[in-house]
Amino acid sequence: MAKFRRRTCIILLLFILFIFSLMMGLKMLRPNTATFGAPFGLDLLPELHKQTVHLGKSLDLQKSDRINSETNTKNLKRVDITMKPAKTSEVNLEELPPLNYFLHVFYYSWYGNPQFDGKYIHWNHPVLEHWDPRIAKNYPQGRHSPPDDIGSSFYPELGSYSSRDPSVIETHMKQMRSASIGVLALSWYPPGSKDENGEATDHLVPTILDKADKYNLKVTFHIEPYSNRDDQTMYRNIKYIIDKYGSHPAFYRYKTRTGTSLPMFYIYDSYITKPEKWANLLTTSGSYSVRNSPYDGLFIALLVEEKHKYDILQSGFDGVYTYFATNGFTYGSSHQNWASIKFFCDKYSLMFIPSVGPGYIDTSIRPWNTQNTRNRINGKYYEVSLSAALRTQPSFISITSFNEWHEGTQIEKAVPKRTSNTVYLDYRPHKPSLYLELTRKWSEKYHKERATYTSDHPVPVTG
């Protein structure tokens, strides 16, 4: 009996040592410098994994915005994300993936909150009425009420943040860098101008350039359709941008086949302005021509309808982009048309820049627009879009968007959130970084494939 007890104790001791060794081995499998944060799975149990968001200044936690996550259980328990002051940290670029300067992402700096701006901006977006009163009466009206009720179907990991917060800007740059995106196309209005739901944002450009440069990112400009935009105002805009920001090391320039280094400008809703006006700016004989001057550049028009192709040619643009992340919404955004658009662009020496997106849902601000919703399908919609773009062998690829939360096209990190009135969409069963990781995967694929059909300069020229 004693011998049996000794043998049992020895077996039990060996079993305990085996379990201990196994647990230590599993713990070692988590890398110390993991690029994308916590191991997969912890996001499904937020009560075990409180996340930290940096906001630049010490906050009164009782007054700060709170972001609630939900567990993957029937109880739907809530936890609060902890807000801590941002810390200045050195960036080890060697730990981040290489950049692809032919991959651009549309970026919006129009968000605000009471801490940095004295009020909420854009998060409190109004619910837009349908133009037909008979349809409009069937839908709610009013404005969203942050921080729990925002103008989006998803909820940001950073909460209802301010685009003025330097730590938010830096977090965005780091996320872009982690996704191997090389260039951000900044939504831009001239000084003193703004979109109808926001405030002027030109004063943020220097900080965005500085933070971008820290991660070797470049910044180009996505010029919005402000009131009375024409050839003369655009000339002043281009001159202002190049004179004020053109010498910054993060200012994007592309080295053309002729050896000239030119900035790039995306022109949103370019079709609103008549071709004759654009020709005044973009052809050598135009009365306000920028061609062969210090203000020359690559000007990219938005292609919406098929008939716009010839207007773009007459206008003197250097290329086209498609912007919308809704496959089938416009001629330009329909994947099935990209091959013929690319053929047209090649024929007339234009750049073709297809715009890809992870999905689309704007019903938080346009509740009557369900027909244009495109489900993300856990990343499959995004990958189909990227695959369609790569098949055209494009000059560049643009992503709609990094953070256009109103239209649900963001690749920025989003988290689960439930309130008494709203259940926000999220990226589960995947991590909040899903679309950054997919972007990185396809960026690398695009970089390799592009090298087989082009021979242009591999990196942009700085200011």
Side-chain angles (χ1 to χ4, degrees), residues 335-369:
H335 302 170
Q336 66 180 16
N337 298 326
W338 285 357
S340 62
I341 297 172
K342 178 60 161 55
F343 179 81
F344 176 87
C345 288
D346 287 347
K347 181 178 179 181
Y348 293 101
S349 300
L350 297 173
M351 291 180 168
F352 175 51
I353 308 179
S355 301
V356 302
Y360 186 94
I361 180 167
D362 66 356
T363 51
S364 67
I365 62 170
R366 301 182 188 99
W368 36 264
N369 195 33

PDB file of all heavy atoms in Angstrom, residues 335-369:
ATOM      1  N   HIS A 335     -16.885  47.569 -60.018  1.00  0.00           N
ATOM      2  CA  HIS A 335     -15.699  46.767 -60.341  1.00  0.00           C
ATOM      3  C   HIS A 335     -15.716  46.268 -61.783  1.00  0.00           C
ATOM      4  O   HIS A 335     -14.669  46.173 -62.425  1.00  0.00           O
ATOM      5  CB  HIS A 335     -15.590  45.571 -59.391  1.00  0.00           C
ATOM      6  CG  HIS A 335     -15.512  45.945 -57.950  1.00  0.00           C
ATOM      7  ND1 HIS A 335     -15.620  45.014 -56.937  1.00  0.00           N
ATOM      8  CD2 HIS A 335     -15.344  47.143 -57.334  1.00  0.00           C
ATOM      9  CE1 HIS A 335     -15.518  45.616 -55.763  1.00  0.00           C
ATOM     10  NE2 HIS A 335     -15.355  46.918 -55.979  1.00  0.00           N
ATOM     11  N   GLN A 336     -16.891  45.939 -62.296  1.00  0.00           N
ATOM     12  CA  GLN A 336     -16.986  45.367 -63.638  1.00  0.00           C
ATOM     13  C   GLN A 336     -16.546  46.356 -64.718  1.00  0.00           C
ATOM     14  O   GLN A 336     -16.241  45.949 -65.844  1.00  0.00           O
ATOM     15  CB  GLN A 336     -18.411  44.902 -63.918  1.00  0.00           C
ATOM     16  CG  GLN A 336     -19.434  46.043 -63.979  1.00  0.00           C
ATOM     17  CD  GLN A 336     -20.842  45.561 -64.253  1.00  0.00           C
ATOM     18  OE1 GLN A 336     -21.130  44.371 -64.117  1.00  0.00           O
ATOM     19  NE2 GLN A 336     -21.725  46.458 -64.645  1.00  0.00           N
ATOM     20  N   ASN A 337     -16.498  47.638 -64.384  1.00  0.00           N
ATOM     21  CA  ASN A 337     -16.112  48.657 -65.360  1.00  0.00           C
ATOM     22  C   ASN A 337     -14.638  49.041 -65.288  1.00  0.00           C
ATOM     23  O   ASN A 337     -14.160  49.805 -66.130  1.00  0.00           O
ATOM     24  CB  ASN A 337     -16.965  49.919 -65.166  1.00  0.00           C
ATOM     25  CG  ASN A 337     -18.444  49.669 -65.397  1.00  0.00           C
ATOM     26  OD1 ASN A 337     -18.815  48.854 -66.241  1.00  0.00           O
ATOM     27  ND2 ASN A 337     -19.290  50.361 -64.652  1.00  0.00           N
ATOM     28  N   TRP A 338     -13.931  48.537 -64.302  1.00  0.00           N
ATOM     29  CA  TRP A 338     -12.567  49.002 -64.082  1.00  0.00           C
ATOM     30  C   TRP A 338     -11.627  48.642 -65.231  1.00  0.00           C
ATOM     31  O   TRP A 338     -10.737  49.422 -65.569  1.00  0.00           O
ATOM     32  CB  TRP A 338     -12.035  48.482 -62.744  1.00  0.00           C
ATOM     33  CG  TRP A 338     -12.616  49.222 -61.578  1.00  0.00           C
ATOM     34  CD1 TRP A 338     -13.470  50.292 -61.628  1.00  0.00           C
ATOM     35  CD2 TRP A 338     -12.399  48.963 -60.191  1.00  0.00           C
ATOM     36  NE1 TRP A 338     -13.800  50.715 -60.352  1.00  0.00           N
ATOM     37  CE2 TRP A 338     -13.156  49.925 -59.451  1.00  0.00           C
ATOM     38  CE3 TRP A 338     -11.644  48.029 -59.491  1.00  0.00           C
ATOM     39  CZ2 TRP A 338     -13.171  49.951 -58.066  1.00  0.00           C
ATOM     40  CZ3 TRP A 338     -11.654  48.056 -58.102  1.00  0.00           C
ATOM     41  CH2 TRP A 338     -12.406  49.007 -57.389  1.00  0.00           C
ATOM     42  N   ALA A 339     -11.822  47.490 -65.836  1.00  0.00           N
ATOM     43  CA  ALA A 339     -10.943  47.109 -66.945  1.00  0.00           C
ATOM     44  C   ALA A 339     -11.095  48.073 -68.114  1.00  0.00           C
ATOM     45  O   ALA A 339     -10.098  48.502 -68.720  1.00  0.00           O
ATOM     46  CB  ALA A 339     -11.244  45.675 -67.386  1.00  0.00           C
ATOM     47  N   SER A 340     -12.333  48.458 -68.431  1.00  0.00           N
ATOM     48  CA  SER A 340     -12.537  49.376 -69.561  1.00  0.00           C
ATOM     49  C   SER A 340     -12.065  50.791 -69.213  1.00  0.00           C
ATOM     50  O   SER A 340     -11.561  51.515 -70.084  1.00  0.00           O
ATOM     51  CB  SER A 340     -14.016  49.396 -69.975  1.00  0.00           C
ATOM     52  OG  SER A 340     -14.840  49.858 -68.923  1.00  0.00           O
ATOM     53  N   ILE A 341     -12.228  51.181 -67.959  1.00  0.00           N
ATOM     54  CA  ILE A 341     -11.715  52.494 -67.541  1.00  0.00           C
ATOM     55  C   ILE A 341     -10.194  52.513 -67.649  1.00  0.00           C
ATOM     56  O   ILE A 341      -9.602  53.490 -68.128  1.00  0.00           O
ATOM     57  CB  ILE A 341     -12.164  52.828 -66.105  1.00  0.00           C
ATOM     58  CG1 ILE A 341     -13.686  52.945 -66.023  1.00  0.00           C
ATOM     59  CG2 ILE A 341     -11.516  54.141 -65.635  1.00  0.00           C
ATOM     60  CD1 ILE A 341     -14.228  53.083 -64.611  1.00  0.00           C
ATOM     61  N   LYS A 342      -9.554  51.427 -67.215  1.00  0.00           N
ATOM     62  CA  LYS A 342      -8.092  51.343 -67.318  1.00  0.00           C
ATOM     63  C   LYS A 342      -7.650  51.397 -68.774  1.00  0.00           C
ATOM     64  O   LYS A 342      -6.651  52.060 -69.113  1.00  0.00           O
ATOM     65  CB  LYS A 342      -7.609  50.046 -66.661  1.00  0.00           C
ATOM     66  CG  LYS A 342      -6.090  49.812 -66.747  1.00  0.00           C
ATOM     67  CD  LYS A 342      -5.303  50.921 -66.073  1.00  0.00           C
ATOM     68  CE  LYS A 342      -3.878  50.504 -65.727  1.00  0.00           C
ATOM     69  NZ  LYS A 342      -3.087  49.986 -66.832  1.00  0.00           N
ATOM     70  N   PHE A 343      -8.372  50.726 -69.656  1.00  0.00           N
ATOM     71  CA  PHE A 343      -8.050  50.756 -71.093  1.00  0.00           C
ATOM     72  C   PHE A 343      -8.139  52.180 -71.628  1.00  0.00           C
ATOM     73  O   PHE A 343      -7.264  52.646 -72.367  1.00  0.00           O
ATOM     74  CB  PHE A 343      -9.007  49.837 -71.858  1.00  0.00           C
ATOM     75  CG  PHE A 343      -8.764  49.812 -73.341  1.00  0.00           C
ATOM     76  CD1 PHE A 343      -7.766  49.023 -73.887  1.00  0.00           C
ATOM     77  CD2 PHE A 343      -9.532  50.606 -74.194  1.00  0.00           C
ATOM     78  CE1 PHE A 343      -7.528  49.013 -75.264  1.00  0.00           C
ATOM     79  CE2 PHE A 343      -9.304  50.607 -75.565  1.00  0.00           C
ATOM     80  CZ  PHE A 343      -8.299  49.801 -76.097  1.00  0.00           C
ATOM     81  N   PHE A 344      -9.195  52.892 -71.247  1.00  0.00           N
ATOM     82  CA  PHE A 344      -9.360  54.290 -71.655  1.00  0.00           C
ATOM     83  C   PHE A 344      -8.203  55.142 -71.144  1.00  0.00           C
ATOM     84  O   PHE A 344      -7.638  55.960 -71.883  1.00  0.00           O
ATOM     85  CB  PHE A 344     -10.696  54.818 -71.125  1.00  0.00           C
ATOM     86  CG  PHE A 344     -10.932  56.268 -71.390  1.00  0.00           C
ATOM     87  CD1 PHE A 344     -11.500  56.701 -72.576  1.00  0.00           C
ATOM     88  CD2 PHE A 344     -10.594  57.237 -70.436  1.00  0.00           C
ATOM     89  CE1 PHE A 344     -11.720  58.055 -72.819  1.00  0.00           C
ATOM     90  CE2 PHE A 344     -10.808  58.581 -70.670  1.00  0.00           C
ATOM     91  CZ  PHE A 344     -11.378  58.995 -71.870  1.00  0.00           C
ATOM     92  N   CYS A 345      -7.847  54.956 -69.873  1.00  0.00           N
ATOM     93  CA  CYS A 345      -6.769  55.748 -69.280  1.00  0.00           C
ATOM     94  C   CYS A 345      -5.435  55.462 -69.972  1.00  0.00           C
ATOM     95  O   CYS A 345      -4.654  56.392 -70.250  1.00  0.00           O
ATOM     96  CB  CYS A 345      -6.659  55.458 -67.789  1.00  0.00           C
ATOM     97  SG  CYS A 345      -8.029  56.150 -66.818  1.00  0.00           S
ATOM     98  N   ASP A 346      -5.162  54.212 -70.248  1.00  0.00           N
ATOM     99  CA  ASP A 346      -3.920  53.867 -70.956  1.00  0.00           C
ATOM    100  C   ASP A 346      -3.877  54.504 -72.346  1.00  0.00           C
ATOM    101  O   ASP A 346      -2.835  54.997 -72.786  1.00  0.00           O
ATOM    102  CB  ASP A 346      -3.782  52.350 -71.074  1.00  0.00           C
ATOM    103  CG  ASP A 346      -3.431  51.683 -69.754  1.00  0.00           C
ATOM    104  OD1 ASP A 346      -3.061  52.407 -68.801  1.00  0.00           O
ATOM    105  OD2 ASP A 346      -3.531  50.449 -69.670  1.00  0.00           O
ATOM    106  N   LYS A 347      -5.010  54.499 -73.010  1.00  0.00           N
ATOM    107  CA  LYS A 347      -5.085  55.053 -74.366  1.00  0.00           C
ATOM    108  C   LYS A 347      -4.742  56.531 -74.393  1.00  0.00           C
ATOM    109  O   LYS A 347      -4.093  57.029 -75.329  1.00  0.00           O
ATOM    110  CB  LYS A 347      -6.486  54.814 -74.932  1.00  0.00           C
ATOM    111  CG  LYS A 347      -6.685  55.334 -76.351  1.00  0.00           C
ATOM    112  CD  LYS A 347      -8.088  55.008 -76.853  1.00  0.00           C
ATOM    113  CE  LYS A 347      -8.295  55.537 -78.266  1.00  0.00           C
ATOM    114  NZ  LYS A 347      -9.675  55.235 -78.765  1.00  0.00           N
ATOM    115  N   TYR A 348      -5.146  57.258 -73.345  1.00  0.00           N
ATOM    116  CA  TYR A 348      -4.947  58.709 -73.310  1.00  0.00           C
ATOM    117  C   TYR A 348      -3.917  59.148 -72.267  1.00  0.00           C
ATOM    118  O   TYR A 348      -3.881  60.312 -71.881  1.00  0.00           O
ATOM    119  CB  TYR A 348      -6.286  59.404 -73.055  1.00  0.00           C
ATOM    120  CG  TYR A 348      -7.262  59.248 -74.204  1.00  0.00           C
ATOM    121  CD1 TYR A 348      -8.286  58.311 -74.147  1.00  0.00           C
ATOM    122  CD2 TYR A 348      -7.122  60.012 -75.358  1.00  0.00           C
ATOM    123  CE1 TYR A 348      -9.174  58.157 -75.203  1.00  0.00           C
ATOM    124  CE2 TYR A 348      -8.004  59.875 -76.425  1.00  0.00           C
ATOM    125  CZ  TYR A 348      -9.025  58.934 -76.340  1.00  0.00           C
ATOM    126  OH  TYR A 348      -9.895  58.787 -77.398  1.00  0.00           O
ATOM    127  N   SER A 349      -3.070  58.211 -71.850  1.00  0.00           N
ATOM    128  CA  SER A 349      -1.964  58.494 -70.923  1.00  0.00           C
ATOM    129  C   SER A 349      -2.443  59.138 -69.621  1.00  0.00           C
ATOM    130  O   SER A 349      -1.869  60.118 -69.132  1.00  0.00           O
ATOM    131  CB  SER A 349      -0.917  59.396 -71.604  1.00  0.00           C
ATOM    132  OG  SER A 349      -0.386  58.765 -72.741  1.00  0.00           O
ATOM    133  N   LEU A 350      -3.508  58.597 -69.065  1.00  0.00           N
ATOM    134  CA  LEU A 350      -4.024  59.026 -67.776  1.00  0.00           C
ATOM    135  C   LEU A 350      -3.712  57.984 -66.706  1.00  0.00           C
ATOM    136  O   LEU A 350      -3.625  56.789 -66.994  1.00  0.00           O
ATOM    137  CB  LEU A 350      -5.549  59.219 -67.832  1.00  0.00           C
ATOM    138  CG  LEU A 350      -6.099  60.292 -68.774  1.00  0.00           C
ATOM    139  CD1 LEU A 350      -7.619  60.210 -68.814  1.00  0.00           C
ATOM    140  CD2 LEU A 350      -5.658  61.681 -68.339  1.00  0.00           C
ATOM    141  N   MET A 351      -3.540  58.412 -65.480  1.00  0.00           N
ATOM    142  CA  MET A 351      -3.401  57.485 -64.364  1.00  0.00           C
ATOM    143  C   MET A 351      -4.776  56.950 -63.977  1.00  0.00           C
ATOM    144  O   MET A 351      -5.739  57.718 -63.893  1.00  0.00           O
ATOM    145  CB  MET A 351      -2.790  58.193 -63.147  1.00  0.00           C
ATOM    146  CG  MET A 351      -1.350  58.583 -63.315  1.00  0.00           C
ATOM    147  SD  MET A 351      -0.758  59.418 -61.813  1.00  0.00           S
ATOM    148  CE  MET A 351       1.006  59.434 -62.131  1.00  0.00           C
ATOM    149  N   PHE A 352      -4.856  55.660 -63.723  1.00  0.00           N
ATOM    150  CA  PHE A 352      -6.093  55.084 -63.205  1.00  0.00           C
ATOM    151  C   PHE A 352      -5.871  54.680 -61.752  1.00  0.00           C
ATOM    152  O   PHE A 352      -4.991  53.886 -61.448  1.00  0.00           O
ATOM    153  CB  PHE A 352      -6.530  53.873 -64.023  1.00  0.00           C
ATOM    154  CG  PHE A 352      -7.737  53.171 -63.442  1.00  0.00           C
ATOM    155  CD1 PHE A 352      -8.886  53.885 -63.120  1.00  0.00           C
ATOM    156  CD2 PHE A 352      -7.733  51.800 -63.217  1.00  0.00           C
ATOM    157  CE1 PHE A 352      -9.996  53.255 -62.577  1.00  0.00           C
ATOM    158  CE2 PHE A 352      -8.833  51.158 -62.675  1.00  0.00           C
ATOM    159  CZ  PHE A 352      -9.975  51.882 -62.357  1.00  0.00           C
ATOM    160  N   ILE A 353      -6.684  55.263 -60.859  1.00  0.00           N
ATOM    161  CA  ILE A 353      -6.542  54.997 -59.430  1.00  0.00           C
ATOM    162  C   ILE A 353      -7.881  54.475 -58.903  1.00  0.00           C
ATOM    163  O   ILE A 353      -8.741  55.249 -58.462  1.00  0.00           O
ATOM    164  CB  ILE A 353      -6.117  56.262 -58.655  1.00  0.00           C
ATOM    165  CG1 ILE A 353      -4.871  56.896 -59.304  1.00  0.00           C
ATOM    166  CG2 ILE A 353      -5.860  55.934 -57.193  1.00  0.00           C
ATOM    167  CD1 ILE A 353      -4.387  58.164 -58.616  1.00  0.00           C
ATOM    168  N   PRO A 354      -8.097  53.152 -58.951  1.00  0.00           N
ATOM    169  CA  PRO A 354      -9.342  52.619 -58.401  1.00  0.00           C
ATOM    170  C   PRO A 354      -9.386  52.806 -56.895  1.00  0.00           C
ATOM    171  O   PRO A 354      -8.363  52.745 -56.218  1.00  0.00           O
ATOM    172  CB  PRO A 354      -9.276  51.134 -58.780  1.00  0.00           C
ATOM    173  CG  PRO A 354      -7.823  50.835 -58.907  1.00  0.00           C
ATOM    174  CD  PRO A 354      -7.188  52.097 -59.425  1.00  0.00           C
ATOM    175  N   SER A 355     -10.581  53.055 -56.383  1.00  0.00           N
ATOM    176  CA  SER A 355     -10.764  53.226 -54.938  1.00  0.00           C
ATOM    177  C   SER A 355     -11.460  51.988 -54.372  1.00  0.00           C
ATOM    178  O   SER A 355     -12.523  51.602 -54.852  1.00  0.00           O
ATOM    179  CB  SER A 355     -11.603  54.471 -54.644  1.00  0.00           C
ATOM    180  OG  SER A 355     -10.989  55.635 -55.165  1.00  0.00           O
ATOM    181  N   VAL A 356     -10.831  51.399 -53.372  1.00  0.00           N
ATOM    182  CA  VAL A 356     -11.374  50.195 -52.744  1.00  0.00           C
ATOM    183  C   VAL A 356     -11.845  50.540 -51.339  1.00  0.00           C
ATOM    184  O   VAL A 356     -11.398  51.514 -50.744  1.00  0.00           O
ATOM    185  CB  VAL A 356     -10.315  49.073 -52.691  1.00  0.00           C
ATOM    186  CG1 VAL A 356      -9.825  48.737 -54.089  1.00  0.00           C
ATOM    187  CG2 VAL A 356      -9.133  49.475 -51.805  1.00  0.00           C
ATOM    188  N   GLY A 357     -12.760  49.731 -50.809  1.00  0.00           N
ATOM    189  CA  GLY A 357     -13.256  49.987 -49.460  1.00  0.00           C
ATOM    190  C   GLY A 357     -13.726  48.714 -48.794  1.00  0.00           C
ATOM    191  O   GLY A 357     -14.033  47.726 -49.463  1.00  0.00           O
ATOM    192  N   PRO A 358     -13.804  48.732 -47.459  1.00  0.00           N
ATOM    193  CA  PRO A 358     -14.163  47.532 -46.707  1.00  0.00           C
ATOM    194  C   PRO A 358     -15.658  47.253 -46.662  1.00  0.00           C
ATOM    195  O   PRO A 358     -16.081  46.187 -46.222  1.00  0.00           O
ATOM    196  CB  PRO A 358     -13.647  47.855 -45.302  1.00  0.00           C
ATOM    197  CG  PRO A 358     -13.776  49.340 -45.199  1.00  0.00           C
ATOM    198  CD  PRO A 358     -13.466  49.864 -46.574  1.00  0.00           C
ATOM    199  N   GLY A 359     -16.483  48.220 -47.098  1.00  0.00           N
ATOM    200  CA  GLY A 359     -17.928  48.093 -47.042  1.00  0.00           C
ATOM    201  C   GLY A 359     -18.538  49.480 -47.037  1.00  0.00           C
ATOM    202  O   GLY A 359     -17.823  50.490 -47.190  1.00  0.00           O
ATOM    203  N   TYR A 360     -19.850  49.548 -46.882  1.00  0.00           N
ATOM    204  CA  TYR A 360     -20.509  50.846 -46.866  1.00  0.00           C
ATOM    205  C   TYR A 360     -21.820  50.736 -46.092  1.00  0.00           C
ATOM    206  O   TYR A 360     -22.627  49.825 -46.330  1.00  0.00           O
ATOM    207  CB  TYR A 360     -20.808  51.333 -48.290  1.00  0.00           C
ATOM    208  CG  TYR A 360     -21.362  52.744 -48.358  1.00  0.00           C
ATOM    209  CD1 TYR A 360     -20.516  53.831 -48.547  1.00  0.00           C
ATOM    210  CD2 TYR A 360     -22.725  52.992 -48.212  1.00  0.00           C
ATOM    211  CE1 TYR A 360     -21.013  55.127 -48.591  1.00  0.00           C
ATOM    212  CE2 TYR A 360     -23.230  54.284 -48.259  1.00  0.00           C
ATOM    213  CZ  TYR A 360     -22.369  55.348 -48.451  1.00  0.00           C
ATOM    214  OH  TYR A 360     -22.856  56.633 -48.486  1.00  0.00           O
ATOM    215  N   ILE A 361     -22.031  51.649 -45.158  1.00  0.00           N
ATOM    216  CA  ILE A 361     -23.322  51.776 -44.485  1.00  0.00           C
ATOM    217  C   ILE A 361     -23.424  53.182 -43.899  1.00  0.00           C
ATOM    218  O   ILE A 361     -22.655  53.566 -43.022  1.00  0.00           O
ATOM    219  CB  ILE A 361     -23.538  50.692 -43.403  1.00  0.00           C
ATOM    220  CG1 ILE A 361     -24.897  50.863 -42.726  1.00  0.00           C
ATOM    221  CG2 ILE A 361     -22.402  50.664 -42.376  1.00  0.00           C
ATOM    222  CD1 ILE A 361     -25.320  49.683 -41.880  1.00  0.00           C
ATOM    223  N   ASP A 362     -24.371  53.959 -44.408  1.00  0.00           N
ATOM    224  CA  ASP A 362     -24.532  55.349 -43.961  1.00  0.00           C
ATOM    225  C   ASP A 362     -25.902  55.587 -43.345  1.00  0.00           C
ATOM    226  O   ASP A 362     -26.360  56.734 -43.237  1.00  0.00           O
ATOM    227  CB  ASP A 362     -24.294  56.321 -45.118  1.00  0.00           C
ATOM    228  CG  ASP A 362     -25.357  56.207 -46.222  1.00  0.00           C
ATOM    229  OD1 ASP A 362     -26.230  55.314 -46.123  1.00  0.00           O
ATOM    230  OD2 ASP A 362     -25.324  57.009 -47.174  1.00  0.00           O
ATOM    231  N   THR A 363     -26.581  54.526 -42.923  1.00  0.00           N
ATOM    232  CA  THR A 363     -27.961  54.666 -42.447  1.00  0.00           C
ATOM    233  C   THR A 363     -28.071  55.398 -41.115  1.00  0.00           C
ATOM    234  O   THR A 363     -29.173  55.768 -40.705  1.00  0.00           O
ATOM    235  CB  THR A 363     -28.637  53.289 -42.334  1.00  0.00           C
ATOM    236  OG1 THR A 363     -27.794  52.404 -41.577  1.00  0.00           O
ATOM    237  CG2 THR A 363     -28.860  52.691 -43.716  1.00  0.00           C
ATOM    238  N   SER A 364     -26.954  55.624 -40.433  1.00  0.00           N
ATOM    239  CA  SER A 364     -27.013  56.439 -39.211  1.00  0.00           C
ATOM    240  C   SER A 364     -27.269  57.908 -39.534  1.00  0.00           C
ATOM    241  O   SER A 364     -27.806  58.654 -38.714  1.00  0.00           O
ATOM    242  CB  SER A 364     -25.711  56.314 -38.416  1.00  0.00           C
ATOM    243  OG  SER A 364     -24.627  56.894 -39.133  1.00  0.00           O
ATOM    244  N   ILE A 365     -26.907  58.339 -40.740  1.00  0.00           N
ATOM    245  CA  ILE A 365     -27.159  59.727 -41.144  1.00  0.00           C
ATOM    246  C   ILE A 365     -28.104  59.814 -42.347  1.00  0.00           C
ATOM    247  O   ILE A 365     -28.688  60.859 -42.603  1.00  0.00           O
ATOM    248  CB  ILE A 365     -25.847  60.485 -41.463  1.00  0.00           C
ATOM    249  CG1 ILE A 365     -25.103  59.845 -42.634  1.00  0.00           C
ATOM    250  CG2 ILE A 365     -24.971  60.559 -40.211  1.00  0.00           C
ATOM    251  CD1 ILE A 365     -23.943  60.677 -43.151  1.00  0.00           C
ATOM    252  N   ARG A 366     -28.252  58.709 -43.097  1.00  0.00           N
ATOM    253  CA  ARG A 366     -29.211  58.638 -44.213  1.00  0.00           C
ATOM    254  C   ARG A 366     -30.017  57.348 -44.044  1.00  0.00           C
ATOM    255  O   ARG A 366     -29.781  56.371 -44.762  1.00  0.00           O
ATOM    256  CB  ARG A 366     -28.483  58.647 -45.562  1.00  0.00           C
ATOM    257  CG  ARG A 366     -27.620  59.880 -45.807  1.00  0.00           C
ATOM    258  CD  ARG A 366     -26.973  59.835 -47.201  1.00  0.00           C
ATOM    259  NE  ARG A 366     -26.001  60.902 -47.367  1.00  0.00           N
ATOM    260  CZ  ARG A 366     -24.675  60.743 -47.225  1.00  0.00           C
ATOM    261  NH1 ARG A 366     -24.173  59.550 -46.911  1.00  0.00           N
ATOM    262  NH2 ARG A 366     -23.859  61.763 -47.396  1.00  0.00           N
ATOM    263  N   PRO A 367     -30.957  57.319 -43.116  1.00  0.00           N
ATOM    264  CA  PRO A 367     -31.649  56.067 -42.797  1.00  0.00           C
ATOM    265  C   PRO A 367     -32.443  55.482 -43.965  1.00  0.00           C
ATOM    266  O   PRO A 367     -32.799  54.305 -43.948  1.00  0.00           O
ATOM    267  CB  PRO A 367     -32.575  56.470 -41.637  1.00  0.00           C
ATOM    268  CG  PRO A 367     -32.713  57.951 -41.718  1.00  0.00           C
ATOM    269  CD  PRO A 367     -31.427  58.445 -42.277  1.00  0.00           C
ATOM    270  N   TRP A 368     -32.700  56.284 -44.982  1.00  0.00           N
ATOM    271  CA  TRP A 368     -33.466  55.857 -46.150  1.00  0.00           C
ATOM    272  C   TRP A 368     -32.583  55.266 -47.254  1.00  0.00           C
ATOM    273  O   TRP A 368     -33.082  54.881 -48.314  1.00  0.00           O
ATOM    274  CB  TRP A 368     -34.228  57.062 -46.723  1.00  0.00           C
ATOM    275  CG  TRP A 368     -33.450  58.359 -46.622  1.00  0.00           C
ATOM    276  CD1 TRP A 368     -33.555  59.289 -45.635  1.00  0.00           C
ATOM    277  CD2 TRP A 368     -32.420  58.834 -47.516  1.00  0.00           C
ATOM    278  NE1 TRP A 368     -32.669  60.331 -45.851  1.00  0.00           N
ATOM    279  CE2 TRP A 368     -31.959  60.074 -47.000  1.00  0.00           C
ATOM    280  CE3 TRP A 368     -31.847  58.339 -48.681  1.00  0.00           C
ATOM    281  CZ2 TRP A 368     -30.958  60.811 -47.628  1.00  0.00           C
ATOM    282  CZ3 TRP A 368     -30.850  59.069 -49.309  1.00  0.00           C
ATOM    283  CH2 TRP A 368     -30.422  60.292 -48.780  1.00  0.00           C
ATOM    284  N   ASN A 369     -31.282  55.142 -47.010  1.00  0.00           N
ATOM    285  CA  ASN A 369     -30.338  54.742 -48.061  1.00  0.00           C
ATOM    286  C   ASN A 369     -29.866  53.294 -47.925  1.00  0.00           C
ATOM    287  O   ASN A 369     -28.729  52.971 -48.250  1.00  0.00           O
ATOM    288  CB  ASN A 369     -29.128  55.689 -48.060  1.00  0.00           C
ATOM    289  CG  ASN A 369     -28.304  55.561 -49.340  1.00  0.00           C
ATOM    290  OD1 ASN A 369     -28.835  55.306 -50.417  1.00  0.00           O
ATOM    291  ND2 ASN A 369     -26.997  55.731 -49.212  1.00  0.00           N
TER     292      ASN A 369
END
